């Protein structure tokens, strides 16, 4: 255990209300590709730029092309929770962690056992008809040809936040409340460049701001502890009393 991980262990031991805020890097250890790294989705070649494909206008105007990409790159049902997911669930179970706030849409936190998860950008596991609101699971999306249709004839839209769409403010405000009441905030696996989610860090007024990320972020200098490493590798070394 390195000195920095030992420091993190002490912070967690001394904390009573931890909140975790994670991004795509939390799931890369489960085999889900990230967006902005050298080999990430945004640096791969497609018929259209990925950041255009996962926009609201593209979804509305070219649903078939959207779903071709979405099913291939955004849904990874073979992925399993990694050490970070399981450690966070353990922290919650033992009363150390009050909430997981995630930018991910893969549902891996819940699969690992976390109960209070605020999904800022939605989930691939929830899909609704844009016409009548009928719910459909992720398998329905995967097994549909072209753009999935509801029995009423409407297009079924994934409950994920696309570019140019607003966040669910009920979820966002609950995340803010959790952060404002935390004594420790652990931010991991995120570049903190996707807004408004990245603004959440500024609501933290507790004792310890911890950053765990492979690369530098714009708020490293504001943190009490910065660890440049995979989050699962770090959290797997932590013991929860």
């Amino acid at each position: 255990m390195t000195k920095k991980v030992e420091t993190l262990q002490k912070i967690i031991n001394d904390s009573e209300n931890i909140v975790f805020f994670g991004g795509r890097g939390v799931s890369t250890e489960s085999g889900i590709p990230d967006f902005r790294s050298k080999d990430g989705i945004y640096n791969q070649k497609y018929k259209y730029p990925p950041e255009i494909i996962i926009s609201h206008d593209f979804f509305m105007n070219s649903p078939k092309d959207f779903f071709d990409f979405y099913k291939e790159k955004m849904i990874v049902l073979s992925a399993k929770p990694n050490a970070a997911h399981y450690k966070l669930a353990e922290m919650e179970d033992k009363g150390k962690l009050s909430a997981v706030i995630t930018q991910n849409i893969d549902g891996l936190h819940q699969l690992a056992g976390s109960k209070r998860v605020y999904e800022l950008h939605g989930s691939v596991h929830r899909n609704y008809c844009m016409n009548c609101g009928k719910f459909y699971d992720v398998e329905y999306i995967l097994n549909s040809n072209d753009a999935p249709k509801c029995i009423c004839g409407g297009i079924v839209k994934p409950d994920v936040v696309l570019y140019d769409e607003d966040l669910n403010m009920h979820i966002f405000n609950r995340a803010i409340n959790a952060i404002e009441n935390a004594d420790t905030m652990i931010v991991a696996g995120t570049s903190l460049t996707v807004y408004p989610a990245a603004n959440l860090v500024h609501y933290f007024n507790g004792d310890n701001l911890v950053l765990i990320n492979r690369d530098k972020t714009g708020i490293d200098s504001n943190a009490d502890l910065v660890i440049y490493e995979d989050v699962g590798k770090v959290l797997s070394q932590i013991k929860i009393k």
Side-chain angles (χ1 to χ4, degrees):
M1 184 179 288
T2 67
K3 279 287 187 182
K4 286 196 172 186
V5 177
E6 289 177 358
T7 301
L8 176 60
Q9 179 73 71
K10 185 178 187 310
I11 288 173
I12 291 174
N13 290 347
D14 295 342
S15 299
E16 296 181 356
N17 187 349
I18 301 170
V19 66
F20 179 88
F21 175 41
R24 195 76 168 186
V26 178
S27 292
T28 53
E29 292 171 80
S30 294
I32 296 179
D34 64 11
F35 287 102
R36 293 173 175 80
S37 71
K38 180 179 65 174
D39 300 317
I41 290 174
Y42 284 177
N43 290 313
Q44 298 177 25
K45 298 297 183 183
Y46 302 99
K47 184 178 178 181
Y48 305 97
E51 54 268 46
I52 297 299
I53 298 175
I54 53 177
S55 69
H56 176 80
D57 285 348
F58 192 91
F59 170 81
M60 297 300 295
N61 295 324
S62 305
K64 180 185 182 304
D65 288 324
F66 170 87
F67 278 104
D68 285 345
F69 176 87
Y70 179 78
K71 288 191 283 187
E72 179 184 353
K73 295 297 181 182
M74 308 298 286
I75 301 176
V76 189
L77 296 188
S78 60
K80 305 299 180 186
N82 60 54
H85 298 106
Y86 286 117
K87 184 61 65 174
L88 292 167
E90 180 187 355
M91 290 169 65
E92 180 184 22
D93 184 61
K94 293 188 176 180
K96 280 287 185 181
L97 185 80
S98 61
V100 169
I101 303 165
T102 181
Q103 295 172 284
N104 297 330
I105 60 175
D106 50 49
L108 292 181
H109 286 292
Q110 292 92 329
L111 193 58
S114 290
K115 296 177 176 62
R116 186 171 295 166
V117 182
Y118 299 136
E119 296 173 309
L120 298 176
H121 296 153
S123 172
V124 298
H125 297 281
R126 298 188 300 269
N127 307 273
Y128 299 95
C129 173
M130 297 181 69
N131 183 45
C132 72
K134 180 177 172 59
F135 169 84
Y136 290 90
D137 61 20
V138 67
E139 284 78 13
Y140 185 83
I141 301 298
L142 287 172
N143 294 328
S144 297
N145 294 322
D146 299 332
K149 295 289 185 65
C150 176
I151 55 174
C152 78
I155 293 178
V156 178
K157 182 184 182 298
D159 185 21
V160 299
V161 179
L162 304 177
Y163 284 120
D164 301 321
E165 291 183 344
D166 294 329
L167 298 186
N168 181 318
M169 290 310 297
H170 176 67
I171 297 295
F172 193 72
N173 288 332
R174 293 180 73 181
I176 290 174
N177 182 66
I179 292 169
E180 288 179 334
N181 287 286
D183 55 12
T184 292
M185 183 176 186
I186 301 174
V187 180
T190 174
S191 60
L192 294 173
T193 58
V194 178
Y195 291 88
N199 281 328
L200 284 171
V201 178
H202 302 299
Y203 289 94
F204 178 68
N205 293 304
D207 300 322
N208 303 289
L209 177 60
V210 178
L211 296 183
I212 307 172
N213 204 44
R214 287 185 297 184
D215 303 309
K216 293 182 178 181
T217 76
I219 67 164
D220 287 11
S221 60
N222 298 330
D224 299 284
L225 176 65
V226 180
I227 303 176
Y228 296 118
E229 186 57 87
D230 290 326
V231 59
K233 184 176 180 180
V234 172
L235 292 186
S236 65
Q237 301 176 66
I238 299 298
K239 306 299 181 184
I240 308 301
K241 298 178 180 180

